[in-house]
Amino acid sequence: QPELSGDFAELMQWADRARRMKVRANAETPQDAETARGFGAEGIGLCRTEHMFFDADRIVAVREMILAEDRPGREAALAKLLPMQRADFEALFKVMRGLPVTIRLLDPPLHEFLPHSDAEIDEVAKASGMDAAKLKTRAQKLKEFNPMLGHRGCRLGISYPEIYEMQVRAILEAAVNVAKATGERATPEIMIPLVAMREELAVLKKRIETVAEAVFAEAGTRLDYLVGTMIELPRAALAADAIAEEAAFFSFGTNDLTQTTFGLSRDDSASFLPEYLRQNILARDPFVTLDREGVGALIEIAAEKGRKARPDIKLGICGEHGGDPDSIAFVEGVGLDYVSCSPYRTPIARLAAAQASLSKSAR
Ligand code: PEP
Ligand code: MG
């Protein structure tokens, strides 16, 4: 496990005394979480659970779930995934030893999960007992022209309630198990992706609470957990006061927020972005350094509206910008509570957050 030592470790300790914002890391494996801890991360700001479903032994069950004809079919597939997810979260909570862990419920573009060949359809047919021809038709129906603006994030959670119910059960059972085994009480932060409207969050939060009550009754114990949301669509930023009524925290997803604010694809910008930079239409790549005029303005609006509706709301950022010094300086100005970045950027974020605090207090 990498760790900071010597003069560098001392410098980081000075930085920690100067900084106001907490620094967390984006991690979904125990290895990444260990790396982040070694670099001084004070929690996990984003666990992207979709990354947990691509292993060969899981993707078939995920496809089975998505392509099932009815709820019992979906539940049979999810019963296979529940123990794996529970073990995933137990491992994360153990590494983080009571530090905050924000777990984002499933947010895939659906096409990444659909079968791509007849062989993959046959695998699902074999595992589920469903008819291959029927599965193929169903997969065709679920195909989208624009998956990044399609059936992803909370929309998936709303149309397939069982997925989020399974994940919430896995998170809370894991937290209860780890608390019983180690005495370390994690406070899971359950995060809903791609929310645009308060109503989406209200529907999902009610379902989360129902699952939580069932888990606590079965376990004979309870623990604290938070439900919050990503702010990664302009509408969510503008409606942040209404959304804050349902959210204990906001985490700014500046990758999607940049994409949707500019109307600029995260995945296809390489074709013309270099020319924009060369002609100085854009001074910097907005997917690396936060665009203050547009995306930054939305963050300011959302932070202000969110705090007005819920003064104790916790605010963070977990897009790539959370590890970029210039962007960190900007969000210090907005008064966010934490930044979350990739594990290896943790030391940079600690330094940048300290620098931002110092230059703010010097002004
Ligand atoms: C984001 O959109 O900024 C984000 C953190 O989520 P993802 O990159 O997984 O879409
Ligand atoms: Mg996103």
Side-chain angles (χ1 to χ4, degrees):
Q1 177 195 332
E3 241 175 81
L4 306 178
S5 58
D7 290 348
F8 192 46
E10 197 178 337
L11 174 70
M12 295 310 285
Q13 281 163 14
W14 293 348
D16 288 348
R17 266 183 257 141
R19 83 183 143 87
R20 181 192 61 80
M21 283 190 294
K22 295 271 184 198
V23 174
R24 301 194 194 181
N26 298 351
E28 38 277 334
T29 64
Q31 295 78 1
D32 281 351
E34 292 271 12
T35 302
R37 292 281 286 123
F39 285 146
E42 296 161 303
I44 292 180
L46 174 63
C47 164
R48 292 177 161 105
T49 56
E50 57 280 5
H51 291 185
M52 296 168 157
F53 289 116
F54 287 111
D55 290 352
D57 59 335
R58 301 188 183 196
I59 187 72
V60 176
V62 173
R63 289 183 174 140
E64 212 182 309
M65 194 278 307
I66 288 173
L67 299 177
E69 277 177 307
D70 50 21
R71 184 165 179 140
R74 288 194 287 277
E75 280 174 350
L78 286 164
K80 299 179 194 174
L81 293 165
L82 173 64
M84 301 183 209
Q85 277 272 269
R86 194 192 301 122
D88 292 334
F89 299 134
E90 282 175 3
L92 278 183
F93 292 144
K94 278 186 189 150
V95 174
M96 297 312 288
R97 306 183 56 127
L99 290 173
V101 178
T102 308
I103 298 170
R104 181 175 74 187
L105 302 183
L106 195 68
D107 176 24
L110 198 56
H111 70 290
E112 287 183 14
F113 279 162
L114 291 175
H116 300 104
S117 65
D118 286 348
E120 287 180 356
I121 297 257
D122 287 343
E123 264 182 332
V124 182
K126 209 167 129 206
S128 64
M130 285 186 275
D131 177 65
K134 260 193 195 166
L135 283 172
K136 203 168 175 173
T137 313
R138 198 138 154 75
Q140 288 290 351
K141 269 201 196 139
L142 290 173
K143 269 210 178 124
E144 297 175 309
F145 283 108
N146 203 340
M148 287 304 269
L149 294 179
H151 206 167
R152 58 175 284 222
C154 67
R155 299 165 195 163
L156 199 71
I158 284 173
S159 41
Y160 298 101
E162 306 82 7
I163 308 182
Y164 281 7
E165 285 166 9
M166 179 279 284
Q167 290 195 295
V168 171
R169 175 169 279 279
I171 292 166
L172 296 176
E173 287 181 352
V176 166
N177 291 349
V178 171
K180 280 186 181 163
T182 67
E184 302 272 12
R185 294 183 79 81
T187 301
E189 300 179 350
I190 299 173
M191 182 152 76
I192 313 291
L194 216 78
V195 163
M197 294 166 269
R198 186 194 70 83
E199 290 74 11
E200 292 168 320
L201 203 51
V203 166
L204 293 169
K205 201 169 112 183
K206 213 173 256 162
R207 288 192 200 147
I208 291 170
E209 285 164 358
T210 306
V211 174
E213 287 312 311
V215 170
F216 296 154
E218 287 161 29
T221 185
R222 330 179 48 88
L223 45 79
D224 293 333
Y225 66 96
L226 302 178
V227 178
T229 183
M230 305 274 297
I231 300 286
E232 49 186 348
L233 296 173
R235 192 191 189 285
L238 297 172
D241 41 358
I243 289 175
E245 287 168 19
E246 303 289 343
F249 64 90
F250 287 168
S251 183
F252 290 98
T254 44
N255 303 329
D256 274 307
L257 193 56
T258 300
Q259 167 166 263
T260 50
T261 301
F262 277 90
L264 176 60
S265 165
R266 283 167 73 169
D267 308 307
D268 304 310
S269 61
S271 53
F272 59 90
L273 199 55
E275 197 51 34
Y276 266 52
L277 295 169
R278 200 184 64 76
Q279 295 190 32
N280 212 22
I281 294 170
L282 273 171
R284 283 181 287 194
D285 183 340
F287 288 106
V288 176
T289 303
L290 196 80
D291 151 56
R292 296 186 175 204
E293 218 176 330
V295 178
L298 285 169
I299 292 176
E300 283 176 317
I301 291 170
E304 195 192 322
K305 288 192 166 205
R307 285 198 198 104
K308 207 173 258 175
R310 186 186 283 242
D312 66 341
I313 194 163
K314 198 171 355 173
L315 302 174
I317 174 173
C318 64
E320 288 305 309
H321 307 83
D324 168 67
D326 189 79
S327 313
I328 291 171
F330 178 78
V331 298
E332 166 68 39
V334 182
L336 298 196
D337 299 294
Y338 68 88
V339 299
S340 189
C341 57
S342 69
Y344 283 94
R345 291 195 79 82
T346 308
I348 295 175
R350 284 165 71 189
L351 267 180
Q355 209 164 29
S357 290
L358 289 171
S359 55
K360 195 174 165 191
S361 56
R363 249 183 273 139

